[in-house]
Amino acid sequence: MQGKSTVRNIAAQLEEEIVLGRLLPKERLIEDDLIDRFKVKRHIVREALSILQVAGLLVRERNKGAMVRSLTPHEVEDLYVVRRLLEEGAVQIMPLPVAPDIVEKLTAIHEEHQACVRAGNLRKVFHLNLAFHRTVYSAANNDALADSIESYCQKTHVCRSYSIGDPAMLNRAVEEHAAMIDAIVNQERDVLSKLVVDHMRPAKEAYLQRLGVGASSFA
């Protein structure tokens, strides 16, 4: 039976493909192709595409169908400004010291993430990276803020599509995750705040460079 779980699964798979660069900005998603690929009815495909549209990953135009969203330089700057405000805000209200169980969970995720980077398992790298940051911001004890951070991170997924497989960027991410854990353990709020902002820079700059735009002064 085709239902909500099928819709979510299709949306999640297409989201992965956007992040992993298998579906690039401005690439069209043809309903008939998706119906044939996933063996589902048209309304299921349309619901999945609607989820991605609401998330900011697709645009849909009348008589043109759906395509992966291509962010303009101005849109990139706007989204990353909001991400910076949200993520720095979470760090500022985060009670210190952070609970030991959160530190243990972060360490376990970090170790698995590092192993997947070494193995070149980009699909797991993507999901473990999301889990790591979700756990970091859960320490702020504000579900509404954590949800907003996750939503705006999702809106910038397309920025990662050109860079997620870059070994230097992956290794940098591993090092920065380790540094974030150290800052949390050592209760270094200012260090953690700087790390979360710096951590956004590589994907953003790689995307802007792809558009032929130089890096901004923001991050």
Side-chain angles (χ1 to χ4, degrees):
M1 181 177 179
Q2 299 174 350
K4 292 298 181 183
S5 61
T6 303
V7 170
R8 289 192 296 268
N9 288 340
I10 293 172
Q13 188 163 337
L14 294 175
E15 179 181 359
E16 279 182 15
E17 292 175 10
I18 291 169
V19 174
L20 297 178
R22 296 170 186 164
L23 290 170
L24 292 171
K26 296 185 179 180
E27 188 164 345
R28 291 188 63 203
L29 283 77
I30 310 300
E31 285 187 7
D32 288 343
D33 292 345
L34 296 174
I35 290 167
D36 183 61
R37 173 183 170 185
F38 292 109
K39 310 302 181 189
V40 296
K41 295 187 181 298
R42 189 173 302 275
H43 75 277
I44 296 290
V45 165
R46 287 182 173 173
E47 285 184 46
L49 294 177
S50 293
I51 289 173
L52 296 176
Q53 181 183 12
V54 170
L57 297 176
L58 297 181
V59 292
R60 299 172 79 185
E61 299 180 19
R62 187 176 181 85
N63 300 323
K64 291 186 179 180
M67 70 172 62
V68 180
R69 186 177 180 187
S70 176
L71 296 170
T72 67
H74 181 73
E75 288 171 331
V76 171
E77 296 294 345
D78 283 354
L79 288 171
Y80 275 92
V81 165
V82 175
R83 281 192 59 186
R84 178 174 184 166
L85 292 170
L86 291 171
E87 295 182 37
E88 283 188 315
V91 171
Q92 292 308 311
I93 68 170
M94 189 180 292
L96 296 176
V98 167
D101 62 315
I102 292 180
V103 175
E104 290 175 9
K105 185 176 180 181
L106 282 172
T107 301
I109 294 170
H110 168 62
E111 290 175 353
E112 188 177 359
H113 176 262
Q114 184 176 41
C116 288
V117 166
R118 289 173 177 166
N121 188 336
L122 296 181
R123 181 176 180 273
K124 279 196 170 183
V125 165
F126 164 55
H127 288 288
L128 289 166
N129 181 69
L130 293 181
F132 182 89
H133 291 284
R134 190 180 301 117
T135 303
V136 168
Y137 297 119
S138 72
N141 296 326
N142 187 314
D143 291 342
L145 181 54
D147 288 346
S148 295
I149 289 171
E150 191 165 352
S151 174
Y152 273 89
C153 179
Q154 187 178 41
K155 292 178 189 298
T156 59
H157 276 351
V158 294
C159 294
R160 303 179 64 193
S161 61
Y162 292 124
S163 60
I164 191 169
D166 185 306
M169 290 188 186
L170 290 170
N171 288 326
R172 173 175 170 166
V174 168
E175 292 171 1
E176 289 177 342
H177 285 181
M180 287 179 197
I181 294 172
D182 287 343
I184 288 171
V185 170
N186 295 326
Q187 301 182 46
E188 297 172 323
R189 193 184 304 276
D190 289 345
V191 173
L192 180 60
S193 184
K194 184 177 186 303
L195 281 166
V196 299
V197 173
D198 288 346
H199 195 62
M200 302 178 202
R201 180 182 294 134
K204 174 176 179 275
E205 290 186 350
Y207 187 84
L208 290 174
Q209 288 169 6
R210 192 75 178 219
L211 297 180
V213 179
S216 72
S217 59
F218 150 61

